[in-house]
Amino acid sequence: LDKVISTMRACAGDNPEPQIMKALNDTRSFKIESKNNLKLYNADRKEVLSLKKQPFSELDGTWDVTLINGKSLTDNQKPFITFDTKERRISGNAGCNRMNGQITTDNANEYYIVFGQVATTRMACPGTTEPTMLAALENVKSFKILPEKNGKQTAELCDAQGKAIITLEKKK
């Protein structure tokens, strides 16, 4: 890294920016510890910064909804959610109508996630999948990335008590 700079915006509270900027400017080498951890070292090979990939980024991409409130989908509607973690947005299909909305996360809790301002198109739709899906999205407070099963990546969107309310399977 060479000559890292930042804005001069004043930040309230305990601001770690000066220490982070110094660490970045002192960095001369790095080591990838695992797929989720990166360590930066100064000229004396002393660790100056340790970075951890946030699990939230693992949601990036398109996921099929396989269960809502523990129940299989029965009315041939195939909802899916596309997560754009860089833009902090979701889009997809709630079962019949297209949807999009905002993602809110919390750095203090790496698994916290809330969907805000979810908007849908307004086609008349048969069945109960869409209203159930939209109601479930309103109650999401966290997520879990589950171990791969049969070569498929799965995740759960959970309520405030940690109970899975939407189960997802990543599209290839």
Side-chain angles (χ1 to χ4, degrees):
L1 303 174
D2 186 38
K3 298 179 185 169
V4 177
I5 61 172
S6 73
T7 62
M8 297 298 289
R9 185 174 180 184
C11 299
D14 192 18
N15 182 6
E17 186 174 354
Q19 292 89 356
I20 293 170
M21 293 304 296
K22 179 174 180 1
L24 291 173
N25 281 308
D26 289 349
T27 296
R28 297 295 175 262
S29 63
F30 68 91
K31 181 177 181 185
I32 299 172
E33 293 283 312
S34 69
K35 75 176 193 167
N36 295 324
N37 292 298
L38 172 70
K39 295 196 178 204
L40 304 179
Y41 299 92
N42 65 14
D44 297 327
R45 297 208 177 272
K46 179 181 175 200
E47 181 182 320
V48 293
L49 196 60
S50 180
L51 303 169
K52 179 181 174 189
K53 179 180 175 183
Q54 292 297 308
F56 169 65
S57 64
E58 293 183 46
L59 287 173
D60 210 42
T62 301
W63 299 74
D64 288 320
V65 175
T66 59
L67 299 171
I68 302 173
N69 297 319
K71 297 178 183 159
S72 297
L73 309 180
T74 58
D75 53 14
N76 292 328
Q77 295 181 353
K78 304 290 182 203
F80 66 89
I81 303 173
T82 299
F83 292 86
D84 183 338
T85 58
K86 288 181 184 167
E87 296 296 322
R88 297 194 178 278
R89 307 238 359 114
I90 60 166
S91 60
N93 186 294
C96 174
N97 285 291
R98 291 186 314 268
M99 67 175 180
N100 61 67
Q102 298 176 344
I103 299 171
T104 300
T105 59
D106 180 356
N107 288 337
N109 177 351
E110 62 190 4
Y111 295 98
Y112 175 86
I113 190 169
V114 172
F115 305 109
Q117 299 178 346
V118 175
T120 64
T121 54
R122 299 186 63 155
M123 295 188 302
C125 303
T128 60
T129 296
E130 181 160 295
T132 304
M133 168 78 173
L134 293 171
L137 279 175
E138 288 181 14
N139 291 313
V140 170
K141 301 293 183 223
S142 67
F143 70 94
K144 296 176 189 172
I145 302 292
L146 302 175
E148 274 193 28
K149 191 174 182 181
N150 299 324
K152 296 181 179 182
Q153 181 65 57
T154 57
E156 294 175 338
L157 302 178
C158 304
D159 64 15
Q161 289 74 41
K163 179 183 172 198
I165 53 178
I166 299 175
T167 303
L168 307 168
E169 186 176 283
K170 192 157 197 178
K171 286 189 178 188
K172 295 279 179 180

